[in-house]
Amino acid sequence: MTGVVRRLEIDAISKRYGDVVALREMAFDVRAGELFGFVGSNGAGKTTTMRIVLGVLAADGGEVRWDGKPITLTTRRRIGYMPEERGLYPRMKVAEQLVYLARLHGMSAGQARRSADEWTERLGVATRRDDEVQKLSLGNQQRVQLAAALVHEPDILVLDEPFSGLDPVAVDVMSQVLREKAAEGVPVVFSSHQLDLVERLCDRVGIVRSGRMEACGTVDELRSGGTTRLLVDAPGAPDGWADDLPGVTVLGRNGARTELELGDRADDQAVLKAALATGPVHEFTRRQSSLTELFRNVVTHEEAGR
């Protein structure tokens, strides 16, 4: 299809279970070579969305597309999927299992063995190739599960909580692997409750609530629609020095440092003038919101509007 940008599109998919609405026209896309973080509270609809992409569940409405065309069984064979509820055979040996899964995705026996060796080495479980999965630690089982998603050299990666239960070294290894796959042009979408990790790793982030995409963009784009915060270090300022400034909310004070939130009517120069009126100002810094704060603001705002 000429002119189509390679991307995974989730276009207004909906899903109900009786009276329970799991997804409400969920919509976003993941572009080739992009790391996309899919974040939300438990029960927000992340796993349901991923299962529909994989064909494990059928949507009641909407469409999933790859390369501008409806996704098919052939396309789904080219997806590397890591479920939140781990899907490994506990009594099967690691290498045997990875070869078996690679063969299911169309690899020859030789290709499957070479790929299984490569990924167990890359993910630090090469010495456990002949062990049953059930004999591994939870962290090593997680590494093998990622190897299972990668062993057939997929065109798309869909990972549900891939960092859950990993130690910091394993998190670094997995992060590097995902960056490498994205650099090869693979679109990568993963969910995680570790928002600081999502913020560091992802090109774009989607915040989902109650089955609907509430905000989507780069972290900087999400910040642009949020509030501005200031850190003011004014040792001589008395308690309440900023309470009456228009549009300013005092979030907290720790010693001489006061954290402020600026609303639409607030003037940061008026804040600086008020601080200087109390004596020396050692710090006057705009503070960017973290993804955790952005997530909290989006969810709180939507709840307040309902």
Side-chain angles (χ1 to χ4, degrees):
M1 193 169 180
T2 305
V4 173
V5 177
R6 289 175 64 85
R7 61 179 178 174
L8 177 67
E9 298 174 86
I10 289 81
D11 186 4
I13 59 174
S14 299
K15 182 68 178 176
R16 299 179 68 99
Y17 297 97
D19 294 333
V20 177
V21 179
L23 295 178
R24 307 166 186 266
E25 297 190 338
M26 175 68 69
F28 63 98
D29 68 349
V30 188
R31 300 153 193 172
E34 180 178 52
L35 281 163
F36 185 93
F38 196 36
V39 304
S41 303
N42 291 330
K46 305 184 300 297
T47 296
T48 299
T49 300
M50 292 182 174
R51 288 176 175 172
I52 289 173
V53 171
L54 267 293
V56 177
L57 293 174
D60 297 332
E63 188 174 59
V64 180
R65 293 187 294 271
W66 170 244
D67 267 357
K69 301 175 183 177
I71 202 164
T72 64
L73 177 59
T74 301
T75 309
R76 288 188 171 107
R77 291 184 69 183
R78 301 303 309 144
I79 297 176
Y81 178 48
M82 186 173 180
E84 183 177 13
E85 299 85 8
R86 302 312 173 214
L88 300 171
Y89 299 105
R91 296 183 182 277
M92 202 169 182
K93 292 180 180 179
V94 169
E96 180 184 1
Q97 182 155 191
L98 293 177
V99 169
Y100 170 71
L101 293 172
R103 295 295 308 277
L104 285 181
H105 282 87
M107 278 188 163
S108 69
Q111 288 174 322
R113 283 193 295 271
R114 286 192 295 273
S115 187
D117 287 348
E118 174 189 344
W119 283 112
T120 51
E121 185 73 39
R122 181 73 177 81
L123 294 171
V125 287
T127 60
R128 312 304 298 272
R129 288 172 184 154
D130 294 325
D131 291 346
E132 294 179 356
V133 170
Q134 65 182 357
K135 294 181 179 178
L136 304 182
S137 67
L138 291 178
N140 279 338
Q141 288 184 32
Q142 187 86 327
R143 295 180 191 224
V144 175
Q145 186 75 66
L146 180 61
L150 293 164
V151 71
H152 61 289
E153 298 299 331
D155 295 328
I156 307 165
L157 277 175
V158 178
L159 312 173
D160 201 352
E161 293 291 343
F163 296 96
S164 177
L166 293 182
D167 61 66
V169 172
V171 167
D172 289 343
V173 170
M174 189 171 291
S175 298
Q176 185 58 36
V177 167
L178 298 189
R179 288 192 185 100
E180 289 173 4
K181 299 310 289 185
E184 293 170 9
V186 175
V188 181
V189 55
F190 71 91
S191 66
S192 179
H193 287 103
Q194 295 167 255
L195 299 185
D196 57 335
L197 179 61
V198 173
E199 183 173 358
R200 293 198 311 269
L201 197 56
C202 290
D203 301 299
R204 288 191 304 138
V205 178
I207 301 176
V208 59
R209 179 184 180 276
S210 299
R212 178 163 43 207
M213 185 64 73
E214 300 290 2
C216 185
T218 66
V219 174
D220 284 344
E221 287 170 344
L222 296 177
R223 283 186 180 122
S224 69
T227 57
T228 299
R229 295 189 177 193
L230 288 175
L231 287 177
V232 182
D233 186 348
D239 289 340
W241 69 270
D243 288 351
D244 297 327
L245 294 172
V248 175
T249 301
V250 179
L251 299 178
R253 184 163 183 175
N254 182 11
R257 291 165 61 89
T258 305
E259 184 174 7
L260 308 172
E261 184 175 274
L262 306 186
D264 294 337
R265 298 183 300 114
D267 179 355
D268 59 356
Q269 295 305 302
V271 176
L272 178 58
K273 183 178 180 180
L276 287 168
T278 70
V281 174
H282 294 168
E283 181 182 3
F284 189 81
T285 308
R286 283 181 175 268
R287 179 178 174 276
Q288 291 187 315
S289 298
S290 67
L291 181 58
T292 299
E293 291 164 339
L294 293 170
F295 174 78
R296 188 181 298 118
N297 289 342
V298 167
V299 172
T300 301
H301 173 74
E302 293 301 326
E303 287 177 345
R306 297 189 194 283

